[in-house]
Amino acid sequence: MKRVLLILWISLISVSVCAQDFASRFLESHKPDTNLTCVTISPKMMEKVMDLDVENEDKLMDMISKLKSMQLLTTQVNGQKYYKEALGVLEKNSDRFEQFLSFEDKSENFQIMVRKKRNAIIELVMLMREDDNFTVINFTGNMSKDFIARLAKAMEPKHS
Amino acid sequence: MDYKYIEQLIERYWQCETSVMEEQILRSFFSQKEIPAHLLPYREVFVYQQAQQEVKLSADFDEKVLAAIEAPVVKAKHLTMVSRFMPLMKAAAMIAFVITLGNVAQRSFFAEDNLDYNYETYKDTYKDPQMAYEKLSSALMKVSEGINKSQAQLSSDSILNAKNQVDSVSVTE
């Protein structure tokens, strides 16, 4: 009886253990690192943001409504080193994240990864390196392909 | 045969005047096989007495009685720290089990979506929603820029690949 209860408890704990987003994982693996700055916007703050009366930004607010949280990590030193380390963390969690898009040239690199659950994108991670600057943008929420398309359109270069 | 003496003894027996010796005579008389009919009703009394006198305690009677009435020996049990706190630990384990069960039930039945992140640990950087909004919009723009640049590079790469394939086909021709 005791063994059954113990096994049941352990399995329940494994179900109830909460996941960590990429930025939290990366930050945890770099504790204490004073070079990294973290900006966090929690679900509660997201709700407050949604209550803001912002004029002419309906599309942006509609996109924000799909987000639950944001974490932003930045550093202005050793960008290349952090970028490689972040890629390593993503590789370690390759069963969790799948590559979505990437960009590479001499001065900058982008890597966009997504975590999907039941066909919805629940986490979007963008690693960005520009010279020595390194940024991780980490959104969680309920994002669809339509969301990504609209997001891309928001900054789409206008062709003349 | 004259049984007057016996009859007198019986009479005196009922008057509680017989001696031990006389009672022994009576018991001996009634232990015989042949008893006159008028004395037969008294027989059982004296046979019973005779039989009861032969009943003796068994050899281990004293031991049994003493064992039954002696106070049980209580041995001191050495309690370890673990056994002392065992009830407390059992209670804590049960509480933990119930809390876990409740947590799982809450997640299973009331989860609003697929998100399984622990937002409780999030500490907001901004107190002003306007500042949070500005940071959010700037981050969204950066991601948008990243998507566009990646897609542009992807399409230029595919055009280049297609062109290379066309070139290689024309060379072979």
Side-chain angles (χ1 to χ4, degrees):
Chain A
M1 186 64 185
K2 279 180 186 173
R3 281 184 187 176
V4 172
L5 280 176
L6 190 69
I7 292 165
L8 191 68
W9 189 39
I10 290 167
S11 54
L12 286 176
I13 283 175
S14 63
V15 171
S16 65
V17 162
C18 300
Q20 264 189 320
D21 62 21
F22 174 81
S24 302
R25 277 167 196 241
F26 187 75
L27 204 61
E28 208 162 81
S29 66
H30 285 78
K31 260 183 183 175
D33 192 335
T34 48
N35 292 330
L36 285 166
T37 312
C38 179
V39 170
T40 303
I41 295 173
S42 72
K44 278 181 189 171
M45 183 53 80
M46 281 287 184
E47 282 172 19
K48 286 181 188 171
V49 169
M50 285 310 296
D51 290 338
L52 284 175
D53 189 19
V54 187
E55 284 182 11
N56 305 323
E57 293 288 2
D58 292 345
K59 285 181 183 173
L60 195 61
M61 288 302 268
D62 188 42
M63 279 193 280
I64 292 173
S65 72
K66 307 287 178 199
L67 303 176
K68 191 92 179 168
S69 73
M70 183 188 84
Q71 293 229 83
L72 186 77
L73 299 181
T74 47
T75 178
Q76 289 171 344
V77 289
N78 300 326
Q80 185 66 37
K81 177 186 154 259
Y82 283 112
Y83 185 76
K84 276 186 180 174
E85 283 171 0
L87 285 177
V89 176
L90 281 174
E91 262 175 40
K92 264 188 187 174
N93 295 284
S94 55
D95 56 330
R96 196 176 170 86
F97 295 101
E98 60 180 82
Q99 191 168 359
F100 188 63
L101 285 166
S102 65
F103 171 81
E104 197 172 344
D105 76 1
K106 282 178 188 172
S107 61
E108 58 180 352
N109 298 75
F110 290 106
Q111 184 82 40
I112 300 172
M113 308 287 285
V114 291
R115 184 184 168 210
K116 286 181 179 173
K117 214 171 181 183
R118 293 177 205 159
N119 293 325
I121 297 170
I122 59 163
E123 188 174 350
L124 187 144
V125 182
M126 186 170 93
L127 308 181
M128 197 165 75
R129 183 200 68 83
E130 197 174 358
D131 300 322
D132 255 356
N133 299 326
F134 170 67
T135 307
V136 176
I137 299 172
N138 196 156
F139 292 122
T140 67
N142 265 319
M143 297 162 270
S144 59
K145 282 182 180 173
D146 179 54
F147 172 88
I148 302 290
R150 277 189 291 158
L151 186 58
K153 217 171 185 180
M155 280 291 283
E156 199 173 40
K158 285 174 184 171
H159 301 287
S160 53
Chain B
M1 196 175 173
D2 192 6
Y3 295 104
K4 271 197 175 173
Y5 177 62
I6 297 297
E7 285 165 5
Q8 278 175 0
L9 281 179
I10 290 169
E11 196 60 38
R12 286 183 62 214
Y13 178 80
W14 295 128
Q15 299 297 322
C16 302
E17 289 170 357
T18 48
S19 64
V20 175
M21 189 65 89
E22 286 166 338
E23 284 173 15
Q24 186 58 44
I25 293 166
L26 280 171
R27 281 195 284 270
S28 301
F29 172 76
F30 282 105
S31 62
Q32 293 175 114
K33 282 185 182 176
E34 288 181 11
I35 306 288
H38 72 280
L39 292 176
L40 265 177
Y42 308 111
R43 188 186 177 187
E44 286 303 312
V45 177
F46 295 101
V47 168
Y48 172 78
Q49 284 181 2
Q50 186 72 25
Q52 287 304 306
Q53 274 187 344
E54 283 166 14
V55 174
K56 285 181 180 172
L57 297 174
S58 60
D60 59 344
F61 178 79
D62 287 355
E63 272 179 43
K64 281 182 182 175
V65 171
L66 284 172
I69 61 171
E70 267 178 8
V73 180
V74 180
K75 286 182 183 175
K77 197 178 173 185
H78 181 67
L79 282 175
T80 59
M81 209 63 172
V82 175
S83 61
R84 193 171 291 179
F85 286 103
M86 191 53 88
L88 196 68
M89 288 193 283
K90 279 181 183 174
M94 277 313 293
I95 290 167
F97 184 76
V98 170
I99 288 172
T100 316
L101 197 70
N103 197 15
V104 170
Q106 196 180 13
R107 284 188 181 280
S108 310
F109 300 119
F110 305 109
E112 54 182 295
D113 42 32
N114 297 328
L115 302 176
D116 54 2
Y117 299 102
N118 187 10
Y119 293 118
E120 303 298 316
T121 58
Y122 281 37
K123 284 177 186 168
D124 276 309
T125 309
Y126 304 113
K127 285 183 180 172
D128 182 5
Q130 185 63 40
M131 288 181 78
Y133 167 77
E134 280 161 19
K135 202 75 188 173
L136 264 170
S137 54
S138 116
L140 281 168
M141 289 306 116
K142 275 182 186 170
V143 174
S144 172
E145 189 188 337
I147 293 171
N148 284 319
K149 278 189 176 177
S150 306
Q151 282 177 338
Q153 193 175 55
L154 201 68
S155 57
S156 67
D157 285 351
S158 55
I159 289 167
L160 203 67
N161 283 342
K163 198 182 171 189
N164 286 342
Q165 275 181 351
V166 170
D167 287 348
S168 63
V169 169
S170 58
V171 167
T172 51
E173 280 174 357

